[in-house]
Amino acid sequence: MQNHCAVPNCTSSISDPQPLFRFPHDPERSKKWVEKCQRRDLIDKSPDQLHRHYRLCGKHFESSLIDNVSFQCTVLKDDAIPTIFDMPSQPQNGQVKRNKETENESHTNNSKADVQTDEEEEYREYLKSLFEVLVLLGEQNIPPTGPGDRKKDGLRESNFQALLDYRMNCGNEVLKKRYDVNQECCSSVQLSQLIEVCEKCIRSKLVEEVKQNGFFSLLTDDLVKISGEWHLPVFVRFVDQSNCQQERFCGFLSFEGDGDALAEKLLSEMADEWGLDMEQCRGQAHSCTGTHFSKMKTFSAKLIDKYPLAVVTLRSTRTLNVSLANGMVLSGVQLVMSTFKKIESFFSQSNLLQLELEHAIFIFYPDKEDKANELKDICHTNWTRRHDAFDVAVEILEALLLCVDSVHDNEDMRWSDQVTHDALEISKALADFEFVMALVVLKNVMTLTRAFGKNVQGEAPDAHFAATSLKAVLHSLKEVSDNIDVYHEFWNDEAVNLATAMEIPVKIPRSFLRKHHSESGTIQPDSYYKNNLSVPVVNHIINEMNELFSEDHLKSLRCLSLVPAVIEQHKSTEPEEESIQVFKDYIPNAGTLSAELHCWWVKWSKKGKGETFPSNIHETLQQADLKFFPNMLAVLRLIGILPTLALEDSCNVAYKRFKMYMENTPDKFKSKSLALLNMNYDVGFDLDSMVEAYMNTYPERGEVM
């Protein structure tokens, strides 16, 4: 595309800046434009080529043919023809010679410019073809570099090259020309550059969407390994322009390093490289296992230190009890949680394995058919993630051990070597007294938080109730802590009895004995597990409950009293204005809050019986007349970004896509860049923007075309 007037010797771009107008698509008008501007070299070009690459400035049109639509927008009338040209008709002989020389020079320069323009346009089309293929593969989660994985062949046997070959066979002349010149359409280095640019373009679009909608919450998930390095998955939750809760996957951050330096690096990348406005962050939630727990704690503390309004909360994708247990670095607790993952993976392989477990359950509950059926049904779910996961595990522990031992024995040769090996690994863990003791302690302590966790992640009325019941939960935990000697004695007896029934020896963990060989004869198992398991577990849960449910977080949850179903349930009392005051700095008119709150309460409390009431934030935000309650709308939008509250299925696609990508993509084909593309295939890709970004980032690449 030219950014100057196509008329020979026109100096408008220098002395008199003028608007530039494209040649018209209409063939007749386009031909007249060429004739008028006396550019014989343009006669053979098609109207489409002229429209795309050439312009005439406003200096050559009558003023009546130009409309100034706005200060920044000038357009031609539909039938405009250029008529004003400053070209002498009767030059002297010397002047004729000079004019011819000038004209020849102009034609030469224009020809060079035309060649450059054509080459640049051709290069753009080439890049666009590459990006189209890359996006297609990324959307379908097809690795560009597979299935051929031999480095010596470069991309010759890759999926990416296969699609490029298909396009060439279908007549893509730009790709053909590139291949004829270089004997390849795209090198592995250039493919990496394309992927990098694609990632940046998609993320910039996501970040722009977040910025347009104001406040957001930051969420992270368990660390994942990609290309041998640990990465932190990052999500954002916000409420969009149509008042729908949204959660988006923003990408992976390298998690290499420790302490404050790592935390600073993560925040810097999100703010400076990604462009997230962290001043707008109003919540944070992290899912992390014990081995990386301290690093995430440091990051969370650094985030709230820099941005105090980013309240720490629970994440809705992980039940409270499981989240609390995952955060403990205690060896016994980590043994339980890692074994849970192995159990879930093991029994999901085959329905036959599930039947083996059901058979074992019926063996241990011969006279309790109802109980056996209940446990059987539970085991058909992802029970290791349930609020009562530790209770279920204790009830089926003996059946589990019998089942995996039977599979490992493999007397009827039904199972593969891998299955029998996995069964042995689970059997070793279940038959360890440290596992049994930790499981029993978790079961008994988590009983106190189970109902609270279920409520806080339930429907709006339940979550609202949970916000008022935390004090009682903490009181119960404090009572256990104050009388830990008594409680531990009960827990120890339960664990010993269970271990005896399973023929598991009661002993101190071998890892501890190896490190404290000199003390091994003086420490009793009862004393060891009290000091190294029971006491730390109770203290950890108390500390975490206080941090996860700070006063500001509880006030936000109490604002669920604005949800019509909660109003209907407590119609005799108006919602507490005190809790809503936590958002007083973010509502349009704090002076009318009391009156508006009263009108909102009257509107929903006076509804007749049998009428339906919005039962959650999503349904409430979709009420058409919410626009008449601007303060209520602002508060509900802020509650809508709380990571604690579960999203509707239609809004909760990002996390599902993330899990699918991590579970279904072989490790060698996982890519942090293409993962972002795969999980955000619906953002609406602008291939021209990708091409522009690539040419700006790698300008030297254009020289080879």
Side-chain angles (χ1 to χ4, degrees):
M1 181 188 81
Q2 291 187 344
N3 59 359
H4 58 82
C5 183
V7 175
N9 303 322
C10 181
T11 58
S12 61
S13 60
I14 301 172
S15 59
D16 182 20
Q18 292 281 340
L20 292 171
F21 303 109
R22 291 175 182 269
F23 273 65
H25 273 302
D26 178 65
E28 287 301 320
R29 286 184 59 224
S30 180
K31 183 179 179 181
K32 288 181 181 178
W33 280 39
V34 171
E35 291 172 352
K36 291 287 185 180
C37 69
Q38 299 183 24
R39 284 285 300 274
R40 295 178 181 176
D41 57 307
L42 301 184
I43 291 175
D44 294 331
K45 295 190 180 293
S46 69
D48 182 62
Q49 286 178 302
L50 292 169
H51 178 78
R52 291 168 66 184
H53 303 314
Y54 296 93
R55 308 287 186 268
L56 292 188
C57 72
K59 191 175 180 180
H60 307 292
F61 295 89
E62 300 286 348
S63 58
S64 60
L65 300 177
I66 301 175
D67 285 339
N68 290 310
V69 177
S70 70
F71 177 72
Q72 293 180 317
C73 184
T74 305
V75 298
L76 279 177
K77 291 189 175 179
D78 291 340
D79 57 350
I81 300 291
T83 57
I84 304 174
F85 296 93
D86 186 15
M87 297 179 182
S89 57
Q90 297 280 339
Q92 298 296 321
N93 291 339
Q95 186 65 37
V96 168
K97 184 177 180 181
R98 283 194 296 273
N99 283 351
K100 286 185 177 179
E101 290 173 351
T102 303
E103 184 178 350
N104 289 336
E105 184 180 347
S106 174
H107 284 171
T108 301
N109 291 336
N110 284 329
S111 297
K112 289 180 179 178
D114 291 346
V115 170
Q116 277 189 326
T117 300
D118 289 341
E119 286 180 350
E120 180 180 322
E121 191 63 28
E122 195 172 289
Y123 184 60
R124 287 178 180 273
E125 290 300 319
Y126 156 71
L127 289 176
K128 193 169 183 178
S129 294
L130 297 184
F131 275 117
E132 281 179 330
V133 171
L134 182 61
V135 167
L136 175 63
L137 291 171
E139 287 178 349
Q140 303 300 322
N141 196 21
I142 301 172
T145 54
D149 194 32
R150 290 179 287 173
K151 292 184 179 179
K152 66 178 181 180
D153 290 331
L155 294 176
R156 263 180 276 175
E157 296 184 1
S158 69
N159 292 322
F160 187 70
Q161 186 60 49
L163 278 181
L164 292 180
D165 291 344
Y166 176 78
R167 285 202 157 204
M168 284 190 284
N169 292 334
C170 290
N172 190 311
E173 295 298 330
V174 174
L175 290 177
K176 277 185 180 180
K177 181 178 178 181
R178 181 76 175 195
Y179 184 81
D180 291 341
V181 173
N182 300 316
Q183 291 305 299
E184 64 175 0
C185 283
C186 180
S187 67
S188 56
V189 173
Q190 190 177 13
L191 176 59
S192 298
Q193 294 170 347
L194 292 166
I195 292 172
E196 173 199 326
V197 169
C198 187
E199 176 188 11
K200 288 181 178 178
C201 287
I202 294 167
R203 184 179 294 112
S204 66
K205 197 170 183 69
L206 294 176
V207 170
E208 186 60 34
E209 184 182 11
V210 175
K211 285 181 178 178
Q212 289 173 356
N213 291 288
F215 302 119
F216 68 92
S217 287
L218 186 75
L219 305 91
T220 67
D221 205 72
D222 288 337
L223 296 179
V224 297
K225 262 198 173 179
I226 299 177
S227 301
E229 293 185 355
W230 287 110
H231 287 83
L232 181 69
V234 179
F235 300 77
V236 289
R237 182 182 290 195
F238 58 95
V239 176
D240 65 19
Q241 296 297 307
S242 59
N243 291 328
C244 286
Q245 294 168 286
Q246 297 288 352
E247 199 166 288
R248 290 286 194 182
F249 175 69
C250 271
F252 294 101
L253 291 172
S254 174
F255 206 74
E256 301 297 322
D258 290 296
D260 281 351
L262 174 61
E264 285 283 2
K265 184 187 77 168
L266 295 174
L267 285 175
S268 174
E269 285 187 50
M270 285 189 285
D272 300 334
E273 294 186 24
W274 289 7
L276 281 173
D277 183 2
M278 300 305 294
E279 296 287 351
Q280 298 289 84
C281 184
R282 290 297 178 271
Q284 56 170 312
H286 311 288
S287 301
C288 197
T289 54
T291 51
H292 300 286
F293 185 71
S294 61
K295 289 185 181 182
M296 285 308 303
K297 276 290 186 184
T298 303
F299 169 71
S300 177
K302 180 67 70 174
L303 177 58
I304 205 165
D305 180 55
K306 282 195 166 189
Y307 309 101
L309 299 176
V311 178
V312 179
T313 71
L314 176 68
R315 186 171 179 189
S316 61
T317 53
R318 189 75 56 84
T319 57
L320 175 62
N321 280 356
V322 172
S323 183
L324 291 171
N326 272 326
M328 298 184 203
V329 294
L330 306 170
S331 62
V333 175
Q334 285 304 302
L335 177 60
V336 170
M337 301 313 293
S338 63
T339 305
F340 272 17
K341 289 180 181 178
K342 291 177 183 177
I343 290 170
E344 182 177 335
S345 175
F346 181 75
F347 287 103
S348 65
Q349 296 179 69
S350 165
N351 287 332
L352 293 176
L353 290 171
Q354 191 71 43
L355 289 173
E356 283 290 309
L357 178 56
E358 291 175 15
H359 177 66
I361 289 172
F362 280 108
I363 290 176
F364 280 93
Y365 290 91
D367 302 323
K368 298 180 180 178
E369 187 176 344
D370 290 343
K371 182 65 176 177
N373 284 325
E374 179 189 350
L375 291 173
K376 182 194 74 172
D377 291 340
I378 289 174
C379 289
H380 276 287
T381 67
N382 292 325
W383 64 268
T384 57
R385 307 180 194 181
R386 288 168 53 115
H387 295 280
D388 59 351
F390 307 111
D391 301 75
V392 173
V394 169
E395 290 187 303
I396 67 170
L397 187 57
E398 292 178 88
L400 262 175
L401 184 57
L402 174 65
C403 175
V404 292
D405 281 347
S406 173
V407 172
H408 174 252
D409 291 342
N410 202 17
E411 292 179 352
D412 48 7
M413 302 300 290
R414 284 193 296 158
W415 314 110
S416 68
D417 290 345
Q418 185 60 53
V419 170
T420 57
H421 172 76
D422 294 342
L424 178 60
E425 290 296 307
I426 295 173
S427 175
K428 288 179 180 178
L430 299 181
D432 188 334
F433 182 72
E434 184 180 22
F435 175 92
V436 177
M437 187 72 216
L439 182 62
V440 169
V441 170
L442 289 171
K443 182 204 78 168
N444 285 286
V445 180
M446 299 292 194
T447 298
L448 303 175
T449 58
R450 187 176 65 202
F452 174 85
K454 191 173 182 180
N455 284 333
V456 82
Q457 293 175 297
E459 292 293 330
D462 300 322
H464 177 259
F465 170 75
T468 64
S469 64
L470 179 65
K471 189 174 180 180
V473 174
L474 290 173
H475 178 78
S476 298
L477 289 168
K478 182 68 166 55
E479 195 270 333
V480 171
S481 178
D482 292 342
N483 298 279
I484 192 63
D485 290 341
V486 176
Y487 282 98
H488 174 73
E489 185 176 346
F490 283 114
W491 303 341
N492 185 70
D493 289 346
E494 182 181 351
V496 169
N497 291 335
L498 184 55
T500 301
M502 298 171 66
E503 300 180 348
I504 298 172
V506 177
K507 59 182 181 180
I508 295 172
R510 185 173 60 86
S511 58
F512 177 83
L513 294 176
R514 189 174 64 249
K515 293 177 183 177
H516 305 83
H517 184 70
S518 59
E519 306 172 29
S520 59
T522 60
I523 300 179
Q524 296 300 311
D526 181 15
S527 175
Y528 168 82
Y529 286 111
K530 186 190 85 170
N531 295 322
N532 293 278
L533 185 64
S534 295
V535 171
V537 165
V538 174
N539 289 339
H540 174 87
I541 292 174
I542 291 174
N543 292 335
E544 282 298 291
M545 291 292 285
N546 279 310
E547 183 172 348
L548 287 173
F549 298 98
S550 63
E551 188 55 37
D552 282 347
H553 185 190
L554 292 176
K555 284 181 178 178
S556 297
L557 290 174
R558 285 198 283 268
C559 287
L560 289 169
S561 59
L562 297 179
V563 173
V566 181
I567 292 177
E568 197 275 336
Q569 195 175 73
H570 305 277
K571 65 174 81 177
S572 59
T573 56
E574 290 191 33
E576 299 176 18
E577 185 177 338
E578 181 185 353
S579 297
I580 299 173
Q581 286 293 334
V582 73
F583 300 122
K584 67 181 185 300
D585 295 332
Y586 313 114
I587 58 179
N589 193 341
T592 63
L593 177 61
S594 296
E596 189 177 317
L597 180 60
H598 177 74
C599 292
W600 180 256
W601 172 72
V602 169
K603 170 180 170 61
W604 294 105
S605 63
K606 302 305 179 186
K607 289 271 186 179
K609 285 187 177 181
E611 295 189 57
T612 57
F613 292 84
S615 60
N616 53 40
I617 289 291
H618 173 77
E619 292 176 3
T620 307
L621 281 168
Q622 296 308 304
Q623 295 302 300
D625 52 0
L626 192 56
K627 60 187 177 184
F628 300 115
F629 299 88
N631 288 325
M632 299 298 98
L633 174 59
V635 173
L636 288 166
R637 283 178 62 89
L638 280 159
I639 303 171
I641 67 173
L642 269 182
T644 311
L645 304 177
L647 294 174
E648 292 288 295
D649 285 341
S650 59
C651 306
N652 193 28
V653 295
Y655 186 68
K656 293 175 183 176
R657 290 175 185 170
F658 167 74
K659 297 300 287 185
M660 286 178 63
Y661 181 87
M662 297 311 300
E663 290 170 5
N664 299 334
T665 308
D667 289 343
K668 68 177 181 178
F669 291 134
K670 283 175 182 169
S671 161
K672 70 182 189 67
S673 300
L674 291 178
L676 184 68
L677 168 59
N678 179 255
M679 293 174 223
N680 294 286
Y681 59 77
D682 56 343
V683 299
F685 303 112
D686 183 352
L687 294 175
D688 290 323
S689 296
M690 288 185 182
V691 169
E692 196 68 36
Y694 184 89
M695 294 182 71
N696 290 334
T697 307
Y698 302 104
E700 71 280 0
R701 300 293 304 185
E703 298 173 3
V704 298
M705 190 63 190

